[in-house]
Amino acid sequence: MSWESFWYMGGYAAYVWPAYGVTALVLAANLVWPVWQRKQLFRQLAIKQKRAQSK
Amino acid sequence: MPLIRAFLAIIRRDLLLAFRRRAEMANPLFFFVLVVTLFPLAIGAQPNLLQAMAPGVIWVSALLATLLSLDSLFRSDFEDGSLEQMLLSPHALSVLVLGKIVAHWLVSGLPLLLVAPLLALFLGLPEQAMGTLWLTLILATPLLSLIGAIGVALTVGLRRGGMLLSLLVLPLYVPVLIFASGAVDRAAGGLPVGAQLNILLAMLLAALALAPLPTSIALKMSVN
Amino acid sequence: MSWIPAPVSRFFHRTSSPPHFYALADRFIPWLTAIFLLLLGAGLYGGLYLAPTDYQQGDSYRIIYIHVPAAWMSLFVYVMMAIMGGIALVWRMKLAEVMLISSAPIGAGFTFVALVTGSLWGKPMWGTWWVWDARLTSELILLFLYLGVISLYGAIEDKRSAARAVSILALVGVVNIPIIHYSVEWWNTLHQPATVSKLDKPSIHITMLVPLLLMAIAFKFYYLIAVLQAAKLELLKRETSSQWVKNMLEKQA
């Protein structure tokens, strides 16, 4: 099977690939979001701590 | 027995309070009739169409009317502090909660039975389905009050819980809606409805046994 | 709790202390990620490349490798939430509350994925994007249940009360899910006798089944990773002023 026919998906590419794409997006968002939020939180806490120390 | 006396006292008190605010009591009823009236206006007055939709329209409207009345179940008691008194009472909270639910149903669920024939007439529901409509209303409206009570208990502490309440409660109403309107639909077609009524009865008994406990736990959470 | 042996309860108490759990999660996540990627790679390779084309549905059936595992997970996560809710209510265990609320968006994500992929699969099969098929309809109601949990948690300000409220709701929901499922199924046979669900299990060939199972296990590992990440964040948010968080900040700086 060539790459071309793989992407073609027997004519169902317009359904198969969006399905996989949406799944990847949703699952990735649920992984990345908490990690990103945690980094934000750490940054905020670090700023707060620095302020508390400088006082 | 003191527990039964407390249970009855709660019902009597709530009925008395409701009776003093008669205008408020009639609101869900008006709402019920009004929503049903909207459907012919929106869809057009074709008798066939209306007749086919009648069970669904009546039941969706009953659901919304009950939802609208749910907020009064614990709201005023929460605001004037009598809910806190109830939590402190020595009696089992679930039983007292059940008393409140029964009173709520007597005030807001039972009157729906009175206007149901009128609505059936409006929508051209066949006469043979009338008995089933009544039966489903008798079996299913207390079920709506019981399930709804859990949602109210969860949201009573929130200042604007109304929208959230419907979001929480409506998905749980789906089986009631399906079986109740399904039964009326079948009755209109002259089919037997024993199975649907039995399922509604089973759900009602299960909810009577199961719903007061989470309601009382949720009330304790909300009052704290 | 006397009926739980002392070592077991000691183990639970230690694991459930936030700093210990946090460190444990950090240690497990790389391993879980490795296993997940391996399973995912094998599942996708088997499902998209090795598995033969279906003689009825052509290649469109390949959506099954995400649709069915996502639908399974959407139920599994809700049941997990209810179990966590039960533990949180009975033993007031903070960690169970955190795991419960961290699971909700992940479960909602799986439900959403099951709906969208079901619709994308249905379009070539049924000719429309949406059919009131029993399974899609129950999945939609399940999504509403998840959204209810998420918005109830968001609406209550005190997060400990919010967690209690959500625990009750999750338990009530889990009792209702089978009732909703069967009522929707009955409703479906009543109103649409003609439509036979084309998403029904075909007698599936082994080369198609193995990737499906691989993907299902991969999704389980994904859930573990995602829930641990979300739980770490939730723990930090709840305990910003505690000593262990401060220590960790100093170590990072």
Side-chain angles (χ1 to χ4, degrees):
Chain A
M1 197 161 84
S2 68
W3 276 110
E4 213 163 289
S5 73
F6 175 73
W7 291 118
Y8 184 61
M9 269 292 146
Y12 289 110
Y15 306 106
V16 174
W17 296 121
Y20 277 83
V22 168
T23 309
L25 266 179
V26 171
L27 297 199
N30 261 330
L31 270 185
V32 173
W33 172 252
V35 176
W36 183 72
Q37 282 276 299
R38 198 168 63 228
K39 287 212 172 117
Q40 295 283 92
L41 189 69
F42 270 131
R43 210 168 300 150
Q44 278 172 9
L45 288 179
I47 293 169
K48 230 186 242 173
Q49 212 167 33
K50 226 174 257 172
R51 245 185 239 152
Q53 276 166 2
S54 63
K55 258 177 204 171
Chain B
M1 264 174 72
L3 189 60
I4 292 177
R5 222 175 300 143
F7 175 74
L8 293 177
I10 289 241
I11 296 180
R12 200 176 315 128
R13 167 181 171 276
D14 275 18
L15 287 183
L16 201 69
L17 281 177
F19 202 65
R20 281 195 197 140
R21 286 176 294 193
R22 256 160 298 184
E24 228 169 281
M25 207 171 110
N27 283 348
L29 215 56
F30 283 144
F31 179 81
F32 185 37
V33 178
L34 198 64
V35 171
V36 171
T37 317
L38 291 179
F39 278 89
L41 294 176
I43 297 162
Q46 295 118 300
N48 292 343
L49 196 60
L50 287 179
Q51 194 171 9
M53 289 179 49
V57 168
I58 293 178
W59 259 104
V60 169
S61 313
L63 217 77
L64 295 177
T66 312
L67 197 65
L68 201 72
S69 70
L70 276 178
D71 198 48
S72 66
L73 185 50
F74 297 120
R75 171 71 57 196
S76 61
D77 282 8
F78 178 77
E79 274 161 7
D80 67 15
S82 44
L83 199 60
E84 233 162 309
Q85 296 297 319
M86 205 170 90
L87 296 189
L88 293 174
S89 96
H91 303 293
L93 185 57
S94 305
V95 177
L96 302 183
V97 163
L98 189 63
K100 285 203 71 74
I101 297 171
V102 169
H104 174 261
W105 176 69
L106 288 173
V107 171
S108 65
L110 204 54
L112 297 185
L113 289 174
L114 298 176
V115 289
L118 178 69
L119 301 177
L121 182 78
F122 276 4
L123 298 175
L125 190 74
E127 262 169 48
Q128 58 201 10
M130 204 51 231
T132 310
L133 178 60
W134 258 323
L135 269 177
T136 55
L137 280 170
I138 289 175
L139 287 174
T141 47
L143 199 49
L144 297 182
S145 296
L146 282 163
I147 299 171
I150 304 172
V152 185
L154 286 171
T155 53
V156 72
L158 301 172
R159 232 166 296 148
R160 269 175 294 183
M163 201 62 205
L164 185 61
L165 174 65
S166 36
L167 194 64
L168 299 184
V169 167
L170 279 178
L172 302 178
Y173 279 174
V174 166
V176 183
L177 178 70
I178 287 177
F179 286 116
S181 59
V184 180
D185 202 33
R186 282 174 69 93
L191 295 165
V193 290
Q196 285 72 35
L197 293 180
N198 280 335
I199 290 172
L200 283 176
L201 181 64
M203 289 203 289
L204 174 59
L205 293 177
L208 268 175
L210 294 177
L213 183 65
T215 310
S216 51
I217 298 174
L219 276 181
K220 274 182 207 154
M221 181 279 302
S222 282
V223 167
N224 275 343
Chain C
M1 264 193 286
S2 54
W3 42 274
I4 294 177
V8 174
S9 94
R10 218 180 303 131
F11 169 77
F12 271 108
H13 269 280
R14 215 165 32 135
T15 330
S16 66
S17 90
H20 194 268
F21 173 81
Y22 196 96
L24 208 66
D26 268 343
R27 206 177 324 143
F28 272 119
I29 283 173
W31 291 102
L32 293 173
T33 312
I35 299 172
F36 164 65
L37 289 176
L38 243 126
L39 285 166
L40 183 75
L44 286 178
Y45 182 67
L48 291 176
Y49 189 78
L50 290 183
T53 304
D54 186 74
Y55 73 99
Q56 261 184 331
Q57 305 194 3
D59 279 321
S60 73
Y61 92 93
R62 291 184 201 276
I63 295 176
I64 201 176
Y65 298 113
I66 39 178
H67 173 74
V68 169
W72 282 343
M73 286 310 289
S74 65
L75 268 179
F76 176 81
V77 173
Y78 204 96
V79 173
M80 286 308 287
M81 277 169 53
I83 294 173
M84 291 301 166
I87 295 174
L89 280 179
V90 175
W91 289 293
R92 313 219 162 194
M93 204 164 133
K94 251 190 214 167
L95 188 64
E97 294 173 5
V98 168
M99 292 293 259
L100 162 59
I101 197 56
S102 308
S103 297
I106 304 167
F110 278 127
T111 318
F112 179 75
V113 162
L115 276 171
V116 172
T117 54
S119 172
L120 279 164
W121 192 2
K123 174 70 181 161
M125 294 297 112
W126 293 319
T128 72
W129 293 107
W130 182 261
V131 165
W132 289 96
D133 160 77
R135 259 187 251 177
L136 284 181
T137 311
S138 329
E139 203 70 24
L140 184 64
I141 295 166
L142 185 61
L143 183 63
F144 293 148
L145 289 178
Y146 272 117
L147 294 182
V149 166
I150 293 169
S151 43
L152 181 64
Y153 187 75
I156 302 176
E157 250 159 64
D158 173 41
K159 285 309 165 200
R160 293 235 55 188
S161 320
R164 280 182 79 71
V166 163
S167 306
I168 299 167
L169 187 63
L171 281 169
V172 172
V174 92
V175 171
N176 267 281
I177 282 177
I179 305 176
I180 292 174
H181 181 79
Y182 285 111
S183 66
V184 167
E185 221 148 71
W186 178 79
W187 159 82
N188 195 242
T189 55
L190 178 78
H191 289 277
Q192 286 182 314
T195 344
V196 179
S197 172
K198 284 204 179 132
L199 304 191
D200 251 344
K201 294 158 235 152
S203 52
I204 193 165
H205 192 260
I206 188 82
T207 47
M208 297 177 175
L209 183 65
V210 169
L212 182 62
L213 294 179
L214 283 175
M215 287 300 280
I217 305 170
F219 274 30
K220 290 243 156 51
F221 274 91
Y222 163 84
Y223 165 64
L224 273 177
I225 301 163
V227 82
L228 286 179
Q229 294 284 17
K232 275 165 69 179
L233 173 67
E234 189 66 28
L235 275 177
L236 282 179
K237 267 195 202 158
R238 283 184 176 210
E239 313 222 339
T240 36
S241 50
S242 69
Q243 195 55 45
W244 67 275
V245 176
K246 278 179 191 152
N247 289 345
M248 200 159 50
L249 260 179
E250 269 162 32
K251 228 185 270 169
Q252 284 213 334

